Amino acid sequence: MNRTAPTAPGDLTAPPAAGRLGVIAFFDVDETLLAAKTMLDFWDFWAGSGIWPIPAHVPDLRARAAAGVDRGTLNREYYRRFAGVPLGTLRSAARAWYDTHRRGARAFVTAGIEAVERHRTQNHEVVLVSGSLRPLLEAVAEDLGGAEVRCAEQLVTDEGVLTGEIDRPMIGQAKADAVSAVVHARGARGSDCYAYGDHESDLAMLRSVGHPVVVGGSAALAREAARAGWAVLGGQVGPRAHGRTSGPPVPASGNG
């Protein structure tokens, strides 16, 4: 029987009890918090590490994306590369990749990281919403103080081996659905919550909360932000300044 991959024992992504009112800040990860396309960067690490044999004739996803293949299809093709890999092996590799990445001089999107730290200072719950791999996102959440991860869930056998399939790509409307599910589970109000994203595929998520914030220079998001009066943060990259909570207050805006 196949099932979704479980969270690691004792990790920080297990949701708290339902019914807790409060403010939740939802963050996309790639180019919103991390200055990386995490799935592609991790694949380069994985393929070059010799940890596991690489399948023959792996499609070039960058080339397929440039050719216009839709993101959902590319997402599923990516995860199929890991068919037959033990989940524990993937977890170890993902943490090794992140441990290296986080030390880089251009590892993070500065404004996104500062926003996370300001929300945490105000006792807001931080939730990561991304199409990337759960093992990698769990490492990011633990490092940044995220309370939960919502992502594409990889299916595993009862023996803990990845099948190569996922439940649903965490793209577009799936992100908005994930936000709504967390808000409902917490007994929170979407109008009180924040969402941060850098790409037009984040639009549904941004529109699902009361305080959408655009990160970076997406032309499509800039147009929507100008139309709806959303807050916009810069996309500059750099290292993480630990303990830094200075800067302007968490941006407040209407949802248009």
Side-chain angles (χ1 to χ4, degrees), residues 2 7 11 34-35 43 46 49 54 88 107 113 121 129 131-132 144 148 155 170 187 226 251:
N2 297 335
T7 57
D11 73 13
L34 270 59
W43 177 257
W46 175 266
S49 68
I54 303 303
I113 294 299
T121 297
V129 185
S132 195
L144 302 184
E148 185 173 354
L155 304 185
M170 187 57 70

Side-chain angles (χ1 to χ4, degrees), residues 160-208:
V161 175
L162 297 165
T163 69
E165 300 300 324
I166 57 173
D167 62 343
R168 180 187 186 187
M170 187 57 70
I171 299 169
Q173 184 58 42
K175 285 189 170 185
D177 293 345
V179 167
S180 296
V182 174
V183 167
H184 177 75
R186 300 297 192 274
R189 292 184 294 264
S191 58
D192 293 335
C193 295
Y194 294 76
Y196 294 75
D198 73 292
H199 189 271
E200 60 191 271
S201 63
D202 296 321
L203 268 172
M205 177 177 76
L206 294 172
R207 289 169 174 154
S208 70

Side-chain angles (χ1 to χ4, degrees), residues 197-201 203 214-225 232-233:
D198 73 292
H199 189 271
E200 60 191 271
S201 63
L203 268 172
V214 173
V215 180
S218 163
L221 292 191
R223 287 192 297 270
E224 184 64 11
V232 179
L233 301 178

Side-chain angles (χ1 to χ4, degrees), residues 58-204:
V58 172
D60 183 339
L61 297 188
R62 291 182 175 93
R64 286 176 58 70
V69 178
D70 73 90
R71 288 166 64 90
T73 297
L74 294 174
N75 200 260
R76 290 189 182 277
E77 289 180 359
Y78 176 86
Y79 282 106
R80 287 175 184 140
R81 297 176 175 189
F82 298 101
V85 175
L87 177 59
T89 300
L90 184 66
R91 277 186 175 142
S92 296
R95 288 177 180 273
W97 176 85
Y98 181 66
D99 188 56
T100 298
H101 175 84
R102 68 187 292 275
R103 300 172 191 275
R106 296 174 57 82
F108 296 98
V109 178
T110 304
I113 294 299
E114 291 179 348
V116 167
E117 292 171 349
R118 291 195 297 273
H119 279 291
R120 292 190 64 213
T121 297
Q122 296 180 47
N123 294 318
H124 298 168
E125 187 172 13
V126 171
V127 175
L128 306 186
V129 185
S130 172
S132 195
L133 303 86
R134 173 173 283 279
L136 190 154
L137 296 171
E138 287 174 347
V140 177
E142 289 174 10
D143 187 32
L144 302 184
E148 185 173 354
V149 165
R150 290 295 175 113
C151 60
E153 299 291 357
Q154 293 173 273
L155 304 185
V156 298
T157 68
D158 289 339
E159 293 73 34
V161 175
L162 297 165
T163 69
E165 300 300 324
I166 57 173
D167 62 343
R168 180 187 186 187
M170 187 57 70
I171 299 169
Q173 184 58 42
K175 285 189 170 185
D177 293 345
V179 167
S180 296
V182 174
V183 167
H184 177 75
R186 300 297 192 274
R189 292 184 294 264
S191 58
D192 293 335
C193 295
Y194 294 76
Y196 294 75
D198 73 292
H199 189 271
E200 60 191 271
S201 63
D202 296 321
L203 268 172

